[in-house]
Amino acid sequence: MTSFRAAAIQMRSGVDPERNAADLAEYVGDAVGKGAVYVQTPEMTGALQRDRKTLASVLKGEADDVIVRTASALAAKHGIHLHIGSTAIARDDGKIANRAFVFGPDGKMLTRYDKIHMFDVDLDNGESWRESAVYAPGADTVLIDLPFARLGLAICYDVRFPQLFRAQALAGASVISAPAAFTRQTGEAHWHVLQRARAIENGAFMISAAQGGVHEDGRETFGHSLIVAPWGEVLAEAAHADPAIIVADIDPALSAAARAKVPNLKNARPFGLIVENDGEKTRLDVAS
């Protein structure tokens, strides 16, 4: 594996996929101008629309989606690997997928990933979300071999489930990702520590492009796109919520070096869980 320059694009996607696709083209061109050969966009690149009926009315199937079509053309035009963090896709069964894509330098779609974990939460100040009411969850995590690294795909809320990234790391991923549309409230509390923790505990680069600012549908996202090294250093950050492009040089050998210094992936052992209640013990087997 060889060193490469990665870019994370911070966006403020609106409700119109066509307009967001035009913004995408501009941002990708700027990222390539900064020397990036791998470019990542945030969750819901195509549209942030919280009204379910309105969202459904603008959705297309994968073959007709404007973001898919634009991303394929941009990857081929610039000769890069383009990772669409996600966009909403109408499935053949009438449901909606929160789906990521990776395109190769010839414009070919290399892989896709549907977000597994649904953001069903009740936050402070009345903020509540039920992604499961809109989206169908995926079932499988995905790795893709790029010329310069094995990349693990995830989306936003997935970042709170470390077992997903552990499985990717054990399968050889030296770069992991969680492009996101984190709420401002959860981002202020948890974004940085979660991103750095996933990088450190897996000895992997973490690249997460983010949505940022107040969107047309009224939601507010945190921004602060990040690229983190396997030892936990923040290599690049958009330290705000405005649209931006961050870049960093990624050397996959540093992943192997971090794992050699602290070989927690190798040192993990199976263990049981004992629950004691009134002198009685119950033992449960759990994963390492």
Side-chain angles (χ1 to χ4, degrees):
M1 299 296 183
T2 59
S3 297
F4 65 100
R5 178 160 291 183
I9 296 174
Q10 186 157 293
M11 297 179 69
R12 187 175 296 158
S13 294
V15 299
D16 180 1
E18 295 283 348
R19 189 166 71 245
N20 295 327
D23 290 342
L24 172 65
E26 180 180 349
Y27 295 143
V28 169
D30 290 345
V32 171
K34 296 177 182 290
V37 297
Y38 163 86
V39 179
Q40 183 191 114
T41 73
E43 181 183 27
M44 287 297 144
T45 292
L48 274 173
Q49 172 58 267
R50 64 192 307 168
D51 182 83
R52 189 190 319 178
K53 290 184 178 179
T54 304
L55 175 63
S57 71
V58 300
L59 289 188
K60 304 289 185 182
E62 194 174 283
D64 300 313
D65 182 76
V66 64
I67 296 297
V68 171
R69 185 170 63 250
T70 301
S72 174
L74 289 170
K77 175 183 177 180
H78 296 293
I80 61 169
H81 286 86
L82 179 53
H83 176 183
I84 299 299
S86 87
T87 196
I89 296 292
R91 304 196 327 179
D92 292 340
D93 61 4
K95 298 180 180 179
I96 301 173
N98 186 346
R99 183 169 294 170
F101 298 93
V102 179
F103 296 89
D106 59 358
K108 180 182 177 181
M109 184 191 301
L110 301 179
T111 195
R112 58 177 64 77
Y113 162 74
D114 288 357
K115 185 177 182 179
I116 293 173
H117 299 99
M118 298 290 97
F119 190 54
D120 290 356
V121 302
D122 297 298
L123 305 174
D124 294 337
N125 304 317
E127 187 176 359
S128 182
W129 298 92
R130 290 292 180 275
E131 280 191 345
S132 63
V134 180
Y135 299 101
D140 299 306
T141 188
V142 174
L143 301 177
I144 177 69
D145 282 328
L146 304 181
F148 32 74
R150 177 168 287 182
L151 169 69
L153 304 185
I155 299 170
C156 199
Y157 190 48
D158 285 335
V159 78
R160 294 182 183 271
F161 299 86
Q163 64 273 25
L164 185 154
F165 300 91
R166 175 56 54 91
Q168 293 180 346
L170 288 171
S174 57
V175 180
I176 55 180
S177 63
F182 249 60
T183 68
R184 182 182 60 80
Q185 186 175 172
T186 57
E188 288 176 345
H190 301 146
W191 174 254
H192 288 83
V193 68
L194 286 169
Q195 298 291 324
R196 295 186 67 205
R198 296 296 86 86
I200 293 166
E201 68 198 11
N202 293 298
F205 288 91
M206 185 70 163
I207 305 176
S208 296
Q211 296 280 356
V214 179
H215 299 263
E216 286 181 299
D217 72 344
R219 83 183 71 195
E220 186 174 4
T221 54
F222 184 60
H224 290 262
S225 298
L226 285 174
I227 302 177
V228 184
W231 202 244
E233 313 98 305
V234 174
L235 300 180
E237 176 181 1
H240 50 71
D242 293 327
I245 298 166
I246 60 172
V247 298
D249 292 323
I250 307 297
D251 181 0
L254 295 179
S255 174
R259 291 170 180 175
K261 286 186 282 190
V262 182
N264 59 302
L265 295 175
K266 292 182 178 180
N267 291 346
R269 301 184 64 240
F271 58 90
L273 173 65
I274 294 176
V275 179
E276 295 205 23
N277 183 13
D278 268 346
E280 293 189 6
K281 295 183 180 181
T282 302
R283 187 180 187 278
L284 305 173
D285 290 324
V286 296
S288 61

